[in-house]
Amino acid sequence: MKTKWFFVYVGVGVAFAAVSLWVLLSGGRNARAIRTKYKLGGILLMAWAMLSSSTCNGPGPFVTCYEPVVQCYDVAVIEDNVEISVKDKTGSELQSGDVLIIRILRPTALEYICRITTGGESPEVLQETVFKVSEGSPESVEWEWILRTAYKGEATVAVYSSRTDDEGKQVEQQVGGQGFTLK
């Protein structure tokens, strides 16, 4: 693939040089020469892009002004993707006794803290629980949590990963959350 585009690039480059000479000799007054030069320029750009994209690991050095930030299409893995739902219900209205289902896809911590807080400027913690993840990097984990509160109004369910840092302190980082209305 690389060799094919290289020869296309060289051939079109020679044709582009010839047409450029034609435009120069006509003083820039020949519309056909200018159109041809634009078309060949577009083909040159396309051939250079194909040559560059097919040479991620080719013999170097290839100097271009289009150096990629991510080499060869490294795909970012989404971790700690949190899904919060209510068992046997749809919508965002909850009441005491409802069962929350918390699912984490590709968990990265061994411990997660789930908190329900009131809405407003100074939120208060209504309910809190800690979930443990078993060793062995499971693809996803799921817990059921029964809501027990007399609070009515806007509330937020937030999930935090809990880790111990290098100094031995517990560090929490919010990995997901969702707003609900408690009835």
Side-chain angles (χ1 to χ4, degrees), residues 15-127:
F16 183 78
V19 171
S20 296
L21 182 63
W22 181 20
V23 170
L24 182 68
L25 292 176
S26 70
R29 293 189 194 108
N30 189 335
R32 185 173 177 198
I34 292 174
R35 272 194 310 270
T36 306
K37 183 178 175 184
Y38 279 131
K39 288 178 185 177
L40 287 174
I43 292 170
L44 271 175
L45 289 173
M46 186 264 317
W48 184 253
M50 291 301 190
L51 184 64
S52 295
S53 68
S54 67
T55 57
C56 269
N57 296 324
F62 284 103
V63 180
T64 68
C65 58
Y66 302 108
E67 287 297 320
V69 175
V70 178
Q71 295 284 329
C72 295
Y73 311 106
D74 289 338
V75 178
V77 177
I78 299 173
E79 298 175 326
D80 287 331
N81 189 7
V82 177
E83 298 174 2
I84 301 171
S85 60
V86 184
K87 189 173 190 175
D88 301 328
K89 272 190 170 182
T90 58
S92 62
E93 291 185 356
L94 297 175
Q95 58 188 359
S96 188
D98 283 346
V99 177
L100 291 173
I101 298 174
I102 293 112
R103 180 179 298 125
I104 301 175
L105 303 172
R106 291 181 198 81
T108 59
L110 294 176
E111 185 175 276
Y112 289 89
I113 300 168
C114 191
R115 289 189 186 105
I116 300 176
T117 57
T118 61
E121 293 178 19
S122 56
E124 296 178 24
V125 176
L126 299 173
Q127 194 172 344

